Structure formats: structure tokens, C-alpha cells
Amino acid sequence: MSLPGPASSTGDGEPPDGGSVQERETVAEDTEKELRARLTRLTGTARTRPLLELFQILADRYWRAGPGQPVGLPALDEAIDCLAEAYGHLRPGDPMRAQVASHLGWFLGTRQAMHGGPESDRQRAIGLLEEGVAATNLPPVFTCVARLNLGQLYLAAVVRGLQSLETSTLLAGADHRPARAEAERAIDCFQQVLAADLLGAEIAEGARAMLTCAETVRDLLGGLDAGLLTGTSIDFGPVMRAMATMQEVQRRMADGVEAGRMPRLPNLPGARATATVDPLDFPVTVLHGPEPVPSAGDRARRSAAPVDLAALRRALRERVAGGGDPHAALAALLRPDAPPPPAGLVDDLVGLATSVTHAAGAAATAADRTVLAVALYLRGRDDADDGWGDVDDDVRAAAVTLSTAADALPADPSGAVPLAVDLARLLDGRNPEGRVGDALHDRFVPVARALHGVRVQALAWSRPNGTRLLLHTDDGRFRDGRPDGALPPRVVVVGAEPLPDDDAVISHVASARQAGELAGRVPLRVTEAPVLVVDPRGGHDEAGLVRLCRRLYPRAVVLGRADGGSDGPGTPEEVRRRLDASMLHLTCGVSVTGALELAGPADLDPAAITGRTTRTATEGGLVILPPAGDGSGPLAEAFLAAGFTGVVGWARPVPRPVATLMLAVLHTGLVRGGLRPAAAVRAVRRWLASPDRRTPAGLTPAPMDVTGPALADPEYRSAMVYHGL
């Protein structure tokens, strides 16, 4: 097996800088002396780059001497030693490891094939080349070259094994002859080389010939294994032709390198950028030759299957967190006191996150880009100084990626904002001139101003460790919440997780951007045009609560089955016509799909809750959902999208008597107390926590004893949540 020629020479044999060969050799000698002197002073991973630079000089020396020439063997031996040590300094998952493994495999194979090296060279070469072709960050054309050489190694071993055996030995049993699996692997390598079609017509012709030989040898071994061949029926002609074909292909590869038809080995000291770039951004190798004429089969070839973006995101979540919260897992990795991540994890995260953002394209979310930025930062932070001088490349890439994500972060519903803020602080701490934190601040200033205008002190995000990140609306700056968990008097929380804090008025939004939009809406007085939807299908009779609501809302339109009559049965269409209500109270079932179970019987899906008829775009009412728990989130979002300013929902189901009392306290606070919805929900929490609680006035009969300890259950206090402003 032979390899492409020296990486530093040009196709016509002249030095790339235009100087004479003698001048080139003088420069190389001086550089070699300097590198050897440096290596005497270095230890550990810091030796990696100078070792690879010295390897390149030795490789050039070997190629100038001529492959297979005894005079070049010392240079080849030392070049292999340099590569082997450098390879040992690169941990699994390092982006350079595949490059070095491929080179080392090529050179070991050269020594074994061209200089009669030991069988251990072939075994090591195969293992290293297998590692190279399995990597995703090797440029496609060099992966193709590696596969071609790998196939030659497998085929050569099988052919030489057959040549060395007598016929009687071949027939003695499978234990005495080459393994058929090696022929199968050679076939697979050649088939992939031909399918890639990257190495030009002449090399493809040679690969096709070797594929035919490998298939012939495989069939020969298959016949022997099956006992179908006898000593008189074995034809050794294919074996001899296989050897001749391999020698011819080796000659063509060497000629192709000199003529520019065969890609050269990449220059390792300059390959760091290629190793760390995304595979989709690899430079293209141009191979000279006649333009291929597509066949009918080529024209009919199906296009590649579309990338499954959801599957990529699932794979990324699984890799970083298993079945847990990926943002929590990444936040834990960012902590200065965190233990080192498992070997290969960070590089896997970089690869998967890069694949997600590329597959998503313009649809990549802020969370997608934030996760990629974190992965890049972790790789840059954890990389030791290996002599390359590019430790900060990944950190700079992380800063650029996070800045790109900044525009979409206010609309992020996934909880990526705390992770992005933590990363921005780390990046600015490493490079104060980067000002990534200022970029995030600028994107959230409009939201902060809008909320400040409606007397909200802070926008909050919960962190996985139980703390909170606060965006203070007076200056638009992010700060960590107080260690004791206390919140400002009026706070809006991004996310649906309830925060049982009796001292704060709390409401929930899906994103910071939604909070800013809702701040621009004018809430209607709940008594202006209320609508009560009461038990439209039966089974949810709350007579006492309905009587209280009729007294509190004497102008209410009543739909459904209510004592004292109603204005309609409560069908989905009737409810849709009442989306202009100042207060829409719903007492009905919620299906497992999150739809309202109304008269008909018919369901009103969240997707159908759209449109209004008489209200302006800036006016909105309040919705009070049934205490079903699980379906509140999608329904709340649907009603907010339809123009309401707020929705009272439920984090979890509660017993009907408890829910009746909570709703009675809520309505009483809204009407008689004149409270805004978020403050009325806080009043419910306080009522549940008070040992002096009393049955709300007008609720008769009381659904349960309100003086006992049962109502003080913290699960009840955090069950009712308010979405909106």
C-alpha cells in the first residue's frame, strides 16, 4: 500500500513558496533544530503541536527519498514515533484525534507494505484508520482516502494469507485460512469509496477493480467455508490478479498525487481549524479530470432524506441530561466547582448542538443556540494548553453564538434565559471587552420598560437549584434573587411553576416578550360584561357558587344549566361569540386533550379559541378556568392569544369543595375587594393560610368546614395560578 506524496510539495515538485529546493531544505533544517530544542523543554500535552510539526518535516523527507527506499526508512520510523506520541496526548473526543489517527494509520500501513514492517503495524494501522473513518470531523475527501487505504490493508492481508497456504491447509478448515470477514470489510470500504465519487475517474477505476477482486476472494472463502470446493476446483487465478491489481492501483495513486488528480494528506500543524470547524463548513477539494456524464440511474437517484430535527433535539437532551432537565444539567456543568465532565461528553454536545442549529437553519431557537454556546464554552474552558495556541477559539465562538441567540431570547419559553445570563457572565469575566452581557441587556430593555410602566418590579425565572434570576424593571439589569427567596412586591414569573410566596403578587407568562405585550393591554372591569358558563353537560353543578356569582355579577350572561334560567345551552359556538367578555367564568369539564367540554355535546379545542368582534386590540378581560389542573396551560395560552389580559388557571386538580371555596374567595376579592386578578389570587393564598379563615359571605351552603387544618395544605395554596398581567 502506498500513500499520497508529501503534503508540503506542489504538483510539479517545486516548493510552494517559489524558492529553490535547496533553500527549502535549509529552512526545514533550521526549523527541525528549533523544534527538537523546544521538545527537550516541554512535557505532556504541550508537546503535541511541535511533535506534529516535526512529523511533517520527517514525512517530507521520507517522500523525497521515495516510498519504499531504504534510505527513507529512518525518517519514516521517527515520523511514526512523533505521531504515536502526539496521538497519546489527544484524549478521546478531541477534534484533532481523528486527523492524527488517520495519518498514523496511513504511515504504519506504508511501513508494513513498503518496508516489510511487522504484522503489528498492519493491525495498528487498521484500528487507527477505523477510528478515522468513524469520525465526523474529517473532511469527506480524506475520509474517502482513508477508506481506500483501509480496504487495501484488509484485502492485502486476505490475499497474502491465501498465497502463503498450501491447498491442503486451505481445505483443513476455517481456523487455518484467512477470515472471510476481512474480505467483507474490504468490500464495504471500496463500495463506500465508489459511492462517494470524490477521488477521480482513475482512482475509481482502481477501486472498482479491487472491489471485484475482494468479491472474488470472498466468494472463494465462502465456498471453502461451505465445503463446496475441493483441491482440484480451487482457482488461484483471482488471487494472483488481486495482487497485480493492488500494485497497479498503488502506482495510480502515486501518479495521481503528482498530477493533481489525487488529494494530498492534510497538513497536520495547519489542520486544527479544519478539525474544529463544523463538517458542513469544510473546504472543498478540487480534483482535476473530465466532467462525469450522469447516467440515467444518477439522474433518477433519490434526494437525501430530510433531517429529523426533533430526533436530533431528543438525542441532544438525552446525551446531556438523560431523562432530566437539559438546562439544569448544563448549568451544573458551568459551575466553577463542578467536577470534570465525563470523557467525550463535551465534544458530543458540541457535535449534536451544531447539528441541531444547522438542521434548524433560520428556525433555530434561542435555546438551540444557547445550548451550542454553552457546549463551545465548556470545550474551550476545559481544553488544556496542547501547544496549539488556540485555547480561546471555542470561547470566542461561544460568545458569537450567544450574541446571535440574544435577539430571540426574550421570546424563549424554554427557560434558557438563566443559562444564557450565566454564560454571558462567564464570557465577560474571561474577556471584559466582549460585553456579551450588555448585548443581552439591550434585548430585554423594552420588556423592562413596559413592565415598569404597569408597576411590575421584576421579571423572574426559576433556576434548577431553587434560586431565581430577576430582571429588574427600573434599570433592565439581570440580578440574582435574594438567598432567602423573597421576591419584590409585584413580580411576573416566566414559566408555569407556581411560587407560593404570600408576600408578593405573582403572575405567570410564557416568555418575557409575552409579558411586554400584555403590559400594553388595558384590563376591563370584571363587572362590565361578565359571562358565566355553568355546567353545560351536567355533572359539575356548583349551585352555591353560581348563586354567589349572580349576586356579584348581576349583568352577567349565563350559559348552560343554571338555577334561575340561562341565556343559552353553552355550546362551543356560543362561547366563541362571548370572547369579548370582561370576565368569562367556566364551570365545565376539560378533556384529556385539554378541550373544554361544552353543550352539544361538543368540545372547544384551544386552537379554536380565536378572534373577537367588538373589543379594541388593547382591551382585554379575565378568564377563570375549571379546576382541572392538567389542561390549564394550553387553554391559558389560547385565551391570552385571543386577546384576554389574564387567565386564572390551575397547576393541579383540587377537590371540588376546596375549589368552590377558592373561587368564591377569588370572585369576592375581584368585585367587593376591587382587587386586580393577580392580587385576588394572592388573597386566595392568604385566606387558605390564615387560621382565622371564614366562609365567604353569600356562599351558602358552605361546601365544607373551613375552620379545620385541611385547607392549610400547601398544595392547595400553590394550585391556583394567574397567567398574564
Side-chain angles (χ1 to χ4, degrees):
M1 179 185 70
S2 66
L3 295 174
S8 58
S9 66
T10 60
D12 56 6
E14 292 299 320
D17 57 3
S20 68
V21 174
Q22 184 177 3
E23 291 172 345
R24 170 78 176 182
E25 291 176 349
T26 301
V27 172
E29 289 174 0
D30 293 342
T31 303
E32 181 180 352
K33 290 178 182 178
E34 180 185 347
L35 288 170
R36 291 185 185 279
R38 284 177 58 196
L39 285 167
T40 62
R41 300 189 299 269
L42 297 174
T43 60
T45 57
R47 291 170 56 87
T48 307
R49 183 182 177 101
L51 280 169
L52 295 178
E53 290 178 346
L54 179 58
F55 154 76
Q56 201 71 56
I57 293 173
L58 295 167
D60 287 348
R61 183 175 302 157
Y62 173 74
W63 291 119
R64 286 197 302 271
Q69 297 298 318
V71 68
L73 184 57
L76 178 61
D77 288 340
E78 190 175 4
I80 289 173
D81 291 341
C82 288
L83 278 181
E85 182 183 345
Y87 177 79
H89 292 314
L90 299 170
R91 65 182 182 179
D94 189 291
M96 274 297 296
R97 186 178 169 101
Q99 297 265 22
V100 175
S102 297
H103 277 71
L104 184 53
W106 278 322
F107 274 69
L108 285 167
T110 297
R111 185 167 68 181
Q112 201 270 339
M114 308 298 291
H115 297 274
E119 173 63 13
S120 60
D121 277 356
R122 187 186 76 88
Q123 296 294 340
R124 288 177 65 197
I126 286 177
L128 291 160
L129 288 169
E130 289 282 15
E131 179 180 347
V133 300
T136 59
N137 64 336
L138 203 63
V141 70
F142 296 116
T143 301
C144 204
V145 173
R147 281 204 177 95
L148 183 61
N149 284 279
L150 186 59
Q152 287 179 281
L153 280 170
Y154 278 118
L155 181 57
V158 176
V159 170
R160 287 170 184 155
L162 288 172
Q163 279 187 310
S164 65
L165 298 178
E166 299 288 342
T167 301
S168 59
T169 305
L170 284 173
L171 296 172
D175 293 340
H176 301 278
R177 53 181 176 258
R180 185 183 177 190
E182 292 195 335
E184 295 279 10
R185 183 68 178 111
I187 290 170
D188 178 62
C189 289
F190 297 139
Q191 287 175 337
Q192 291 193 60
V193 168
L194 291 170
D197 194 20
L198 294 175
L199 301 183
E202 288 193 64
I203 300 301
E205 182 183 348
R208 196 172 292 109
M210 285 195 293
L211 173 61
T212 301
C213 292
E215 290 172 337
T216 302
V217 172
R218 176 200 59 189
D219 294 342
L220 172 62
L221 291 172
L224 290 168
D225 290 343
L228 301 177
L229 298 178
T230 65
T232 59
S233 62
I234 297 178
D235 180 8
F236 285 96
V239 176
M240 303 306 297
R241 288 194 295 274
M243 288 299 296
T245 300
M246 286 180 58
Q247 292 170 357
E248 175 63 15
V249 172
Q250 290 167 1
R251 182 190 64 77
R252 289 180 181 178
M253 287 178 66
D255 292 345
V257 169
E258 295 306 317
R261 297 188 302 270
M262 182 75 179
R264 305 175 186 279
L265 289 173
N267 185 298
L268 273 175
R272 186 70 174 185
T274 303
T276 55
V277 78
D278 183 81
L280 298 178
D281 297 325
F282 280 145
V284 176
T285 299
V286 178
L287 301 177
H288 301 284
E291 184 73 18
V293 178
S295 65
D298 292 331
R299 288 190 292 268
R301 189 177 299 160
R302 296 177 61 184
S303 59
V307 176
D308 188 342
L309 181 58
L312 282 175
R313 285 177 171 144
R314 284 195 302 272
L316 177 57
R317 288 196 300 269
E318 182 68 25
R319 185 67 180 97
V320 69
D325 179 0
H327 295 144
L330 290 171
L333 290 174
L334 284 178
R335 290 203 312 267
D337 59 346
L345 172 63
V346 172
D347 286 309
D348 286 352
L349 298 184
V350 172
L352 285 167
T354 300
S355 298
V356 167
T357 54
H358 273 290
T365 66
D368 292 335
R369 298 188 188 279
T370 299
V371 170
L372 175 57
V374 171
L376 288 167
Y377 173 81
L378 289 171
R379 188 166 72 178
R381 182 197 69 180
D382 296 341
D383 273 354
D385 182 3
D386 56 6
W388 290 94
D390 61 353
V391 174
D392 284 338
D393 283 356
D394 283 329
V395 176
R396 285 191 290 269
V400 172
T401 303
L402 186 58
S403 297
T404 304
D407 285 339
L409 274 172
D412 174 69
S414 69
V417 173
L419 188 64
V421 171
D422 289 347
L423 178 59
R425 290 170 176 172
L426 291 170
L427 290 168
D428 287 347
R430 190 157 178 160
N431 178 22
E433 299 301 320
R435 305 178 69 85
V436 181
D438 286 347
L440 297 188
H441 162 76
D442 292 344
R443 303 314 192 276
F444 284 87
V445 163
V447 174
R449 288 174 178 167
L451 292 176
H452 190 64
V454 292
R455 300 182 181 180
V456 172
Q457 279 82 36
L459 187 64
W461 289 262
S462 294
R463 294 183 185 275
N465 62 1
T467 63
R468 294 159 190 160
L469 174 71
L470 301 181
L471 174 69
H472 288 261
T473 62
D474 54 353
D475 60 4
R477 291 290 176 182
F478 287 103
R479 297 181 181 87
D480 292 327
R482 288 171 46 177
D484 61 4
L487 293 170
R490 178 70 175 100
V491 64
V492 176
V493 177
V494 177
E497 180 185 353
L499 301 180
D501 190 317
D502 291 348
D503 295 325
V505 175
I506 302 170
S507 57
H508 296 261
V509 291
S511 68
R513 182 166 296 170
Q514 185 187 61
E517 293 171 352
L518 292 174
R521 296 183 188 175
V522 178
L524 297 168
R525 289 185 299 109
V526 292
T527 56
E528 182 177 329
V531 175
L532 304 175
V533 179
V534 180
D535 196 22
R537 289 195 193 178
H540 293 83
D541 182 21
E542 300 290 349
L545 179 62
V546 173
R547 285 193 294 270
L548 172 62
C549 287
R550 280 185 181 273
R551 285 194 290 271
L552 293 173
Y553 305 100
R555 301 170 56 186
V557 172
V558 180
L559 303 174
R561 304 178 182 184
D563 292 343
S566 69
D567 300 294
T571 64
E573 187 56 35
E574 286 178 320
V575 173
R576 279 172 48 84
R577 288 200 300 266
R578 300 294 179 174
L579 295 182
D580 298 325
S582 62
M583 191 282 299
L584 176 62
H585 175 101
L586 295 160
T587 301
C588 62
V590 178
S591 72
V592 293
T593 61
L596 297 172
E597 296 176 336
L598 301 175
D603 291 350
L604 180 59
D605 294 320
I609 301 173
T610 58
R612 301 186 303 172
T613 56
T614 61
R615 300 292 180 190
T616 67
T618 59
E619 293 180 317
L622 171 69
V623 177
I624 300 173
L625 294 176
D630 296 342
S632 288
L635 283 168
E637 287 303 304
F639 280 113
L640 290 175
F644 287 87
T645 58
V647 179
V648 175
W650 303 82
R652 65 188 65 86
V654 297
R656 184 179 297 179
V658 177
T660 298
L661 286 167
M662 294 171 69
L663 289 168
V665 175
L666 176 75
H667 283 292
T668 301
L670 289 170
V671 178
R672 293 174 179 164
L675 299 176
R676 299 286 294 271
V681 172
R682 180 182 64 172
V684 173
R685 294 201 308 270
R686 287 179 166 177
W687 181 83
L688 288 168
S690 172
D692 299 323
R693 71 182 79 87
R694 297 289 184 269
T695 301
L699 181 63
T700 56
M704 62 180 290
D705 179 16
V706 301
T707 61
L711 289 175
D713 188 339
E715 291 291 301
Y716 297 157
R717 291 169 53 197
S718 61
M720 181 181 281
V721 293
Y722 179 64
H723 304 267
L725 291 180

